[in-house]
Amino acid sequence: MRKLIINSKVKLSVLALSMAALAYNCSDYLDTPPKDVFTDDNFWTSENNVRTFSWLNYDTFLGYGNNASTSSDFYFHNSSKIDDNLAMNVFINLNTTANATNGNWNSYYTLIRRTNLMLQRVPTVPMDEAKKNHYLGVAKFFRAFTYFRLAQEFGDVPYTDLYLSQNDADVYKPALSRAQVIDNVIKDLEEATTLLLEEDDKNTTVNKNTAYALLSRVGLYEGTYRKYNSSQDGSEYLLKAKAAALVVMDNPKYALQSDWKSLYNSIELLGNPEVILAKRYIQGVLSNSIQAYTNTSTVQSGLTKFAAESYVTTNGLPIKQVGGNPQFLGDETITNTFANRDPRFAKAFGTEDYAYSDKPWNGLTSITGYVFQLYNNPALSGPEVTTINQNHIDAPIFTLSEVYLNYAEASAELGTITNADLDASINKVRARAGIATLTTDGTNAMVNGVQIEDPQRTSALEQITGAVNPIIWEIRRERRTEFMSWTAMRQLDILRWKKGDYLDSTANPDVVLGARIPSLIGTASKTKVNADGYVIPYVGVTREFVSPKHYLSAIPTNDISLYEAEGVELKQNPGW
């Protein structure tokens, strides 16, 4: 942590800060202070300076990535961010050795230091008391969000809620247990909900409802993590998740929009009543490349067989329903594959034809055959779609649909879920999608009076760490479908459920298969298929998920050595 402390003198170029802020609210550009260079001693003099300083915090939201970067919460994979929905266009394996450094570790602690500085300085700034409290709430929100992600990724981590000088004895302290870190996260968020304004810059900056949305996410994560990873009672956290979600659900200013796809392909999410917080991209100021990677000659990442088979038919039944599903027509052809399926399937992927190396579709190819189209917007064309660093659709960060599903899952995990709970939450998401709504007796799941019996729920893969009851299974399925391609969310769901085996290509061969194209069987096609005709995107490679190793990232070895030099042991995570 020393390298973060060394830069304790805050020197801010307001021009640079203003440009960063344009990504979130360009109307504030005219209100920025004069171009100058400030130090920590003379900066904290006005609300305008505090607002400008707070804008830097928003860089932590990756959204669709910045400019040409593929560091994103959506679609892209890297060695520390892999899910079971998409197969990357090149094979990505899980990390096998501990790295000397970790970008998240460094950036997260930098952000925490910034928030601790805000919490120390803002009370001294001459400004309206309500706005002063709001910015204290903003700082607590970002500190909570950042420690939450540290605990998710690394487990036990060093914790401080003070802005420390370089020589402070508390700079190097043993890591706090992840359970204690999470409790501090919840404390910060609960305090933030009392400090933050109901609305500030609409849905492009943090407000009271953003804090409740994050609190519902944290409570659900911790409650299920303790249950499945630690065999502990997580009820306290699940109750917090429900209560926080309900605050947002009961707020009349939020409502689902009719078009699910519009969450992911809109030029503007500012003021969208379904979006609690958005990352704005403004042409010529801040762009992304998410569309270019799915609309050019670059081979697309593609849907896996494992994910494709999770889509139900419109009657709400799984495609392999015990006793049969009359709406499922098989997957011999692309027409049959998409027939009668959850409409989100066809909104995310092309239904006209598969595309692969020997047979492009409109110039596009996919590593698995499925053509990804979720981010396409018919109002955009040319470089705004096909050129890296020129895309500018907005990205959702927190949505009402997530809050609904947080509420439903927490209710099911508590064992108290009722049909009223379903109707207040998940059934609104399903109705918007165009599939049959659920009913339950508290354990089982039914659609139109038919009990759902998915053999995948009790398969050998699920038995590795234990099967869940049918209503939890269907809520998890809905979450997967609703947030298809939200890579960061899906990966963290897998880890909190202790389902890392989903990523293992031996335990789960379907995670490294693609579309079924029987016409390629026995041909000399460059695109390989197995005996049943399913595309094999990678040949001669496997991915092994090692438990407990891969449930947490390695602590950077440089930081372990840095702490050791100060006489403090920073323990490495199991398996590394």
Side-chain angles (χ1 to χ4, degrees):
M1 196 182 289
R2 182 185 292 278
K3 54 182 170 287
L4 305 181
I5 300 298
I6 288 173
N7 294 319
S8 62
K9 179 71 77 172
V10 177
K11 296 182 179 179
L12 301 171
S13 165
V14 173
L15 176 61
L17 290 172
S18 300
M19 291 303 291
L22 278 170
Y24 304 99
N25 195 333
C26 64
S27 65
D28 287 314
Y29 180 71
L30 298 178
D31 297 327
T32 55
K35 300 174 184 178
D36 204 347
V37 175
F38 291 87
T39 69
D40 188 34
D41 295 328
N42 65 12
F43 181 78
W44 303 96
T45 57
S46 69
E47 178 186 334
N48 198 44
N49 283 12
V50 172
R51 179 173 64 250
T52 303
F53 186 85
S54 74
W55 281 333
L56 279 174
N57 299 335
Y58 291 85
D59 285 344
T60 198
F61 296 123
L62 297 178
Y64 294 147
N66 291 346
N67 303 315
S69 172
T70 57
S71 294
S72 163
D73 285 332
F74 298 83
Y75 183 72
F76 299 109
H77 287 177
N78 58 44
S79 57
S80 63
K81 187 183 294 180
I82 299 172
D83 75 357
D84 56 346
N85 288 336
L86 297 177
M88 196 65 181
N89 59 3
V90 294
F91 180 71
I92 303 290
N93 210 342
L94 296 161
N95 283 327
T96 56
T97 57
N99 292 324
T101 61
N102 182 294
N104 285 346
W105 180 278
N106 292 337
S107 66
Y108 290 169
Y109 276 112
T110 299
L111 177 52
I112 288 165
R113 183 162 172 74
R114 187 185 306 135
T115 60
N116 285 338
L117 177 62
M118 279 187 70
L119 288 166
Q120 182 171 312
R121 300 290 191 263
V122 167
T124 69
V125 179
M127 57 192 293
D128 177 78
E129 198 67 23
K131 293 304 292 283
K132 183 180 292 187
N133 285 337
H134 173 73
Y135 285 109
L136 290 172
V138 168
K140 284 181 178 289
F141 173 92
F142 279 103
R143 185 170 70 183
F145 183 52
T146 308
Y147 272 123
F148 175 49
R149 290 176 296 167
L150 277 167
Q152 286 177 306
E153 184 170 354
F154 300 103
D156 302 348
V157 294
Y159 183 94
T160 182
D161 56 5
L162 301 173
Y163 181 71
L164 301 173
S165 65
Q166 178 180 347
N167 298 319
D168 196 299
D170 287 333
V171 168
Y172 296 96
K173 293 195 302 186
L176 207 60
S177 73
R178 66 166 307 282
Q180 291 174 290
V181 172
I182 293 296
D183 285 343
N184 286 336
V185 165
I186 290 173
K187 180 176 181 289
D188 265 350
L189 287 175
E190 289 177 338
E191 290 176 357
T193 63
T194 69
L195 295 167
L196 288 161
L197 295 173
E198 178 71 23
E199 184 173 290
D200 183 60
D201 296 327
K202 295 187 178 179
N203 61 354
T204 63
T205 57
V206 167
N207 59 38
K208 187 182 298 289
N209 297 293
T210 323
Y212 278 116
L214 177 55
L215 186 54
S216 78
R217 182 185 290 184
V218 173
L220 178 64
Y221 188 95
E222 187 63 11
T224 51
Y225 183 93
R226 292 194 181 206
K227 177 179 178 178
Y228 294 108
N229 287 269
S230 304
S231 300
Q232 297 175 357
D233 181 13
S235 298
E236 173 189 351
Y237 301 93
L238 296 170
L239 288 169
K240 287 181 181 293
K242 277 192 68 174
L246 198 57
V247 173
V248 180
M249 291 161 59
D250 286 344
N251 190 322
K253 80 175 187 178
Y254 296 112
L256 295 180
Q257 298 300 279
S258 59
D259 181 17
W260 168 76
K261 188 171 182 174
S262 67
L263 276 175
Y264 306 102
N265 74 343
S266 289
I267 299 169
E268 183 63 85
L269 289 177
L270 175 67
N272 185 308
E274 184 172 348
V275 180
I276 300 166
L277 185 68
K279 177 163 181 170
R280 296 186 72 199
Y281 292 90
I282 299 175
Q283 196 170 18
V285 178
L286 179 68
S287 61
N288 62 65
S289 302
I290 197 77
Q291 291 165 300
Y293 281 105
T294 58
N295 283 284
T296 60
S297 59
T298 301
V299 179
Q300 288 187 2
S301 301
L303 188 71
T304 66
K305 177 179 183 286
F306 188 52
E309 291 183 348
S310 70
Y311 283 99
V312 298
T313 47
T314 56
N315 61 12
L317 295 175
I319 62 173
K320 297 179 181 179
Q321 167 79 357
V322 174
N325 180 349
Q327 283 197 329
F328 179 56
L329 305 183
D331 59 0
E332 285 282 337
T333 67
I334 191 169
T335 300
N336 285 357
T337 297
F338 282 91
N340 305 321
R341 302 290 285 280
D342 182 326
R344 287 169 293 190
F345 194 8
K347 288 185 177 184
F349 301 93
T351 63
E352 186 173 328
D353 204 353
Y354 297 123
Y356 45 97
S357 58
D358 305 87
K359 186 185 174 185
W361 177 80
N362 287 348
L364 303 176
T365 59
S366 164
I367 194 71
T368 67
Y370 286 103
V371 180
F372 195 86
Q373 295 191 320
L374 179 59
Y375 306 123
N376 289 1
N377 185 315
L380 296 172
S381 61
E384 293 179 84
V385 173
T386 59
T387 303
I388 290 172
N389 200 18
Q390 295 297 315
N391 308 156
H392 54 92
I393 56 171
D394 286 354
I397 305 298
F398 292 96
T399 68
L400 179 61
S401 51
E402 183 198 347
V403 171
Y404 280 145
L405 295 179
N406 290 349
Y407 180 90
E409 187 178 345
S411 299
E413 289 287 359
L414 285 164
T416 61
I417 194 163
T418 64
N419 288 325
D421 288 326
L422 293 175
D423 289 341
S425 57
I426 187 174
N427 280 341
K428 292 184 178 182
V429 178
R430 290 169 72 92
R432 189 262 295 272
I435 58 174
T437 55
L438 293 170
T439 57
T440 187
D441 59 7
T443 300
N444 294 299
M446 288 79 73
V447 285
N448 296 319
V450 178
Q451 186 162 311
I452 299 174
E453 296 186 43
D454 186 355
Q456 178 62 35
R457 183 181 67 83
T458 55
S459 67
L461 176 63
E462 296 301 324
Q463 297 295 348
I464 294 173
T465 56
V468 296
N469 70 34
I471 190 62
I472 292 176
W473 178 258
E474 291 307 315
I475 291 169
R476 289 184 180 184
R477 182 205 304 278
E478 187 65 26
R479 190 175 178 92
R480 181 181 200 175
T481 303
E482 178 71 10
F483 303 123
M484 187 62 69
S485 95
W486 201 322
T487 306
M489 186 183 294
R490 177 62 182 176
Q491 186 203 45
L492 291 171
D493 284 348
I494 290 170
L495 298 181
R496 69 184 172 89
W497 296 329
K498 202 176 182 181
K499 292 295 180 182
D501 300 291
Y502 288 179
L503 306 178
D504 190 291
S505 61
T506 300
N508 183 19
D510 288 352
V511 80
V512 285
L513 293 176
R516 190 178 186 192
I517 310 176
S519 61
L520 295 181
I521 297 175
T523 70
S525 170
K526 289 182 289 185
T527 298
K528 305 302 178 185
V529 297
N530 67 11
D532 296 316
Y534 292 102
V535 171
I536 303 172
Y538 321 114
V539 178
V541 291
T542 58
R543 180 190 299 130
E544 181 183 13
F545 185 94
V546 179
S547 178
K549 176 178 181 176
H550 286 129
Y551 280 103
L552 293 172
S553 293
I555 304 295
T557 58
N558 280 359
D559 288 272
I560 291 175
S561 298
L562 187 61
Y563 273 71
E564 185 179 6
E566 299 293 331
V568 177
E569 181 184 14
L570 192 58
K571 293 181 180 180
Q572 185 57 275
N573 282 321
W576 294 100

PDB file of all heavy atoms in Angstrom, residues 61-66 68-74 76 78 81 279 281:
ATOM      1  N   PHE A  61     -16.741   2.573 -12.409  1.00  0.00           N
ATOM      2  CA  PHE A  61     -17.779   1.827 -13.122  1.00  0.00           C
ATOM      3  C   PHE A  61     -17.283   1.544 -14.537  1.00  0.00           C
ATOM      4  O   PHE A  61     -17.161   2.458 -15.354  1.00  0.00           O
ATOM      5  CB  PHE A  61     -19.087   2.614 -13.168  1.00  0.00           C
ATOM      6  CG  PHE A  61     -19.709   2.854 -11.818  1.00  0.00           C
ATOM      7  CD1 PHE A  61     -19.981   4.143 -11.390  1.00  0.00           C
ATOM      8  CD2 PHE A  61     -20.023   1.794 -10.986  1.00  0.00           C
ATOM      9  CE1 PHE A  61     -20.558   4.373 -10.148  1.00  0.00           C
ATOM     10  CE2 PHE A  61     -20.596   2.014  -9.737  1.00  0.00           C
ATOM     11  CZ  PHE A  61     -20.866   3.301  -9.324  1.00  0.00           C
ATOM     12  N   LEU A  62     -17.010   0.299 -14.841  1.00  0.00           N
ATOM     13  CA  LEU A  62     -16.438  -0.039 -16.143  1.00  0.00           C
ATOM     14  C   LEU A  62     -17.462   0.079 -17.264  1.00  0.00           C
ATOM     15  O   LEU A  62     -17.123   0.473 -18.377  1.00  0.00           O
ATOM     16  CB  LEU A  62     -15.857  -1.452 -16.106  1.00  0.00           C
ATOM     17  CG  LEU A  62     -14.695  -1.681 -15.144  1.00  0.00           C
ATOM     18  CD1 LEU A  62     -14.252  -3.137 -15.187  1.00  0.00           C
ATOM     19  CD2 LEU A  62     -13.539  -0.745 -15.462  1.00  0.00           C
ATOM     20  N   GLY A  63     -18.721  -0.292 -17.002  1.00  0.00           N
ATOM     21  CA  GLY A  63     -19.728  -0.236 -18.051  1.00  0.00           C
ATOM     22  C   GLY A  63     -19.301  -1.043 -19.252  1.00  0.00           C
ATOM     23  O   GLY A  63     -18.909  -2.217 -19.149  1.00  0.00           O
ATOM     24  N   TYR A  64     -19.332  -0.393 -20.421  1.00  0.00           N
ATOM     25  CA  TYR A  64     -18.884  -1.045 -21.658  1.00  0.00           C
ATOM     26  C   TYR A  64     -17.413  -0.792 -21.937  1.00  0.00           C
ATOM     27  O   TYR A  64     -16.922  -1.038 -23.041  1.00  0.00           O
ATOM     28  CB  TYR A  64     -19.713  -0.550 -22.849  1.00  0.00           C
ATOM     29  CG  TYR A  64     -21.172  -0.947 -22.815  1.00  0.00           C
ATOM     30  CD1 TYR A  64     -22.151  -0.114 -23.351  1.00  0.00           C
ATOM     31  CD2 TYR A  64     -21.571  -2.157 -22.250  1.00  0.00           C
ATOM     32  CE1 TYR A  64     -23.494  -0.483 -23.325  1.00  0.00           C
ATOM     33  CE2 TYR A  64     -22.899  -2.524 -22.224  1.00  0.00           C
ATOM     34  CZ  TYR A  64     -23.865  -1.679 -22.763  1.00  0.00           C
ATOM     35  OH  TYR A  64     -25.195  -2.051 -22.735  1.00  0.00           O
ATOM     36  N   GLY A  65     -16.680  -0.284 -20.955  1.00  0.00           N
ATOM     37  CA  GLY A  65     -15.269   0.027 -21.145  1.00  0.00           C
ATOM     38  C   GLY A  65     -15.096   1.462 -21.599  1.00  0.00           C
ATOM     39  O   GLY A  65     -16.045   2.123 -22.027  1.00  0.00           O
ATOM     40  N   ASN A  66     -13.893   1.958 -21.506  1.00  0.00           N
ATOM     41  CA  ASN A  66     -13.588   3.324 -21.914  1.00  0.00           C
ATOM     42  C   ASN A  66     -12.803   3.309 -23.211  1.00  0.00           C
ATOM     43  O   ASN A  66     -11.748   2.681 -23.308  1.00  0.00           O
ATOM     44  CB  ASN A  66     -12.777   4.049 -20.836  1.00  0.00           C
ATOM     45  CG  ASN A  66     -13.603   4.311 -19.591  1.00  0.00           C
ATOM     46  OD1 ASN A  66     -14.828   4.204 -19.594  1.00  0.00           O
ATOM     47  ND2 ASN A  66     -12.916   4.674 -18.510  1.00  0.00           N
ATOM     48  N   ALA A  68     -11.108   2.473 -26.394  1.00  0.00           N
ATOM     49  CA  ALA A  68     -10.781   1.212 -27.061  1.00  0.00           C
ATOM     50  C   ALA A  68     -10.612   0.051 -26.099  1.00  0.00           C
ATOM     51  O   ALA A  68     -10.377  -1.082 -26.516  1.00  0.00           O
ATOM     52  CB  ALA A  68      -9.505   1.381 -27.890  1.00  0.00           C
ATOM     53  N   SER A  69     -10.763   0.313 -24.810  1.00  0.00           N
ATOM     54  CA  SER A  69     -10.495  -0.721 -23.808  1.00  0.00           C
ATOM     55  C   SER A  69     -11.547  -1.828 -23.831  1.00  0.00           C
ATOM     56  O   SER A  69     -12.728  -1.589 -24.076  1.00  0.00           O
ATOM     57  CB  SER A  69     -10.463  -0.080 -22.424  1.00  0.00           C
ATOM     58  OG  SER A  69     -10.396  -1.050 -21.410  1.00  0.00           O
ATOM     59  N   THR A  70     -11.108  -3.038 -23.535  1.00  0.00           N
ATOM     60  CA  THR A  70     -12.026  -4.164 -23.352  1.00  0.00           C
ATOM     61  C   THR A  70     -12.170  -4.511 -21.877  1.00  0.00           C
ATOM     62  O   THR A  70     -12.679  -5.578 -21.535  1.00  0.00           O
ATOM     63  CB  THR A  70     -11.545  -5.400 -24.134  1.00  0.00           C
ATOM     64  OG1 THR A  70     -10.220  -5.738 -23.707  1.00  0.00           O
ATOM     65  CG2 THR A  70     -11.550  -5.137 -25.622  1.00  0.00           C
ATOM     66  N   SER A  71     -11.699  -3.617 -20.998  1.00  0.00           N
ATOM     67  CA  SER A  71     -11.954  -3.772 -19.562  1.00  0.00           C
ATOM     68  C   SER A  71     -13.387  -3.318 -19.313  1.00  0.00           C
ATOM     69  O   SER A  71     -13.663  -2.122 -19.243  1.00  0.00           O
ATOM     70  CB  SER A  71     -10.965  -2.938 -18.736  1.00  0.00           C
ATOM     71  OG  SER A  71      -9.657  -3.432 -18.891  1.00  0.00           O
ATOM     72  N   SER A  72     -14.282  -4.277 -19.235  1.00  0.00           N
ATOM     73  CA  SER A  72     -15.707  -3.986 -19.248  1.00  0.00           C
ATOM     74  C   SER A  72     -16.425  -4.946 -18.324  1.00  0.00           C
ATOM     75  O   SER A  72     -15.910  -6.015 -17.994  1.00  0.00           O
ATOM     76  CB  SER A  72     -16.227  -4.142 -20.688  1.00  0.00           C
ATOM     77  OG  SER A  72     -17.627  -4.256 -20.738  1.00  0.00           O
ATOM     78  N   ASP A  73     -17.625  -4.558 -17.883  1.00  0.00           N
ATOM     79  CA  ASP A  73     -18.451  -5.479 -17.103  1.00  0.00           C
ATOM     80  C   ASP A  73     -19.304  -6.364 -18.000  1.00  0.00           C
ATOM     81  O   ASP A  73     -19.987  -7.261 -17.518  1.00  0.00           O
ATOM     82  CB  ASP A  73     -19.374  -4.693 -16.161  1.00  0.00           C
ATOM     83  CG  ASP A  73     -18.622  -4.132 -14.967  1.00  0.00           C
ATOM     84  OD1 ASP A  73     -17.616  -4.737 -14.571  1.00  0.00           O
ATOM     85  OD2 ASP A  73     -19.039  -3.085 -14.439  1.00  0.00           O
ATOM     86  N   PHE A  74     -19.273  -6.118 -19.300  1.00  0.00           N
ATOM     87  CA  PHE A  74     -20.134  -6.818 -20.246  1.00  0.00           C
ATOM     88  C   PHE A  74     -19.314  -7.482 -21.354  1.00  0.00           C
ATOM     89  O   PHE A  74     -18.318  -6.923 -21.816  1.00  0.00           O
ATOM     90  CB  PHE A  74     -21.113  -5.842 -20.901  1.00  0.00           C
ATOM     91  CG  PHE A  74     -22.066  -5.175 -19.949  1.00  0.00           C
ATOM     92  CD1 PHE A  74     -21.688  -4.053 -19.237  1.00  0.00           C
ATOM     93  CD2 PHE A  74     -23.344  -5.671 -19.759  1.00  0.00           C
ATOM     94  CE1 PHE A  74     -22.560  -3.427 -18.359  1.00  0.00           C
ATOM     95  CE2 PHE A  74     -24.223  -5.059 -18.886  1.00  0.00           C
ATOM     96  CZ  PHE A  74     -23.837  -3.938 -18.181  1.00  0.00           C
ATOM     97  N   PHE A  76     -16.927  -9.051 -22.550  1.00  0.00           N
ATOM     98  CA  PHE A  76     -15.524  -9.449 -22.664  1.00  0.00           C
ATOM     99  C   PHE A  76     -15.090 -10.346 -21.504  1.00  0.00           C
ATOM    100  O   PHE A  76     -15.624 -10.269 -20.401  1.00  0.00           O
ATOM    101  CB  PHE A  76     -14.618  -8.216 -22.703  1.00  0.00           C
ATOM    102  CG  PHE A  76     -14.893  -7.299 -23.864  1.00  0.00           C
ATOM    103  CD1 PHE A  76     -15.484  -6.062 -23.651  1.00  0.00           C
ATOM    104  CD2 PHE A  76     -14.584  -7.669 -25.153  1.00  0.00           C
ATOM    105  CE1 PHE A  76     -15.745  -5.207 -24.714  1.00  0.00           C
ATOM    106  CE2 PHE A  76     -14.845  -6.830 -26.230  1.00  0.00           C
ATOM    107  CZ  PHE A  76     -15.424  -5.591 -26.006  1.00  0.00           C
ATOM    108  N   ASN A  78     -11.441 -11.985 -19.486  1.00  0.00           N
ATOM    109  CA  ASN A  78      -9.990 -12.051 -19.337  1.00  0.00           C
ATOM    110  C   ASN A  78      -9.705 -13.145 -18.327  1.00  0.00           C
ATOM    111  O   ASN A  78     -10.623 -13.835 -17.870  1.00  0.00           O
ATOM    112  CB  ASN A  78      -9.401 -10.692 -18.923  1.00  0.00           C
ATOM    113  CG  ASN A  78      -9.992 -10.174 -17.620  1.00  0.00           C
ATOM    114  OD1 ASN A  78     -10.139 -10.925 -16.658  1.00  0.00           O
ATOM    115  ND2 ASN A  78     -10.339  -8.895 -17.586  1.00  0.00           N
ATOM    116  N   LYS A  81     -11.822 -12.843 -15.299  1.00  0.00           N
ATOM    117  CA  LYS A  81     -13.256 -12.606 -15.483  1.00  0.00           C
ATOM    118  C   LYS A  81     -13.766 -13.505 -16.612  1.00  0.00           C
ATOM    119  O   LYS A  81     -13.674 -13.173 -17.788  1.00  0.00           O
ATOM    120  CB  LYS A  81     -13.532 -11.135 -15.799  1.00  0.00           C
ATOM    121  CG  LYS A  81     -15.016 -10.770 -15.829  1.00  0.00           C
ATOM    122  CD  LYS A  81     -15.228  -9.315 -16.228  1.00  0.00           C
ATOM    123  CE  LYS A  81     -14.687  -8.366 -15.187  1.00  0.00           C
ATOM    124  NZ  LYS A  81     -14.888  -6.950 -15.575  1.00  0.00           N
ATOM    125  N   LYS A 279     -24.005   4.588 -16.879  1.00  0.00           N
ATOM    126  CA  LYS A 279     -22.745   5.193 -17.313  1.00  0.00           C
ATOM    127  C   LYS A 279     -23.005   5.797 -18.680  1.00  0.00           C
ATOM    128  O   LYS A 279     -23.348   5.075 -19.625  1.00  0.00           O
ATOM    129  CB  LYS A 279     -21.614   4.176 -17.376  1.00  0.00           C
ATOM    130  CG  LYS A 279     -20.299   4.779 -17.899  1.00  0.00           C
ATOM    131  CD  LYS A 279     -19.093   3.921 -17.601  1.00  0.00           C
ATOM    132  CE  LYS A 279     -17.820   4.583 -18.124  1.00  0.00           C
ATOM    133  NZ  LYS A 279     -16.588   3.933 -17.663  1.00  0.00           N
ATOM    134  N   TYR A 281     -22.124   7.638 -22.190  1.00  0.00           N
ATOM    135  CA  TYR A 281     -21.084   7.824 -23.189  1.00  0.00           C
ATOM    136  C   TYR A 281     -21.548   8.941 -24.111  1.00  0.00           C
ATOM    137  O   TYR A 281     -22.699   8.933 -24.576  1.00  0.00           O
ATOM    138  CB  TYR A 281     -20.855   6.535 -23.977  1.00  0.00           C
ATOM    139  CG  TYR A 281     -20.236   5.428 -23.144  1.00  0.00           C
ATOM    140  CD1 TYR A 281     -21.034   4.530 -22.452  1.00  0.00           C
ATOM    141  CD2 TYR A 281     -18.857   5.304 -23.038  1.00  0.00           C
ATOM    142  CE1 TYR A 281     -20.467   3.518 -21.684  1.00  0.00           C
ATOM    143  CE2 TYR A 281     -18.285   4.290 -22.268  1.00  0.00           C
ATOM    144  CZ  TYR A 281     -19.096   3.409 -21.594  1.00  0.00           C
ATOM    145  OH  TYR A 281     -18.538   2.409 -20.830  1.00  0.00           O
TER     146      TYR A 281
END
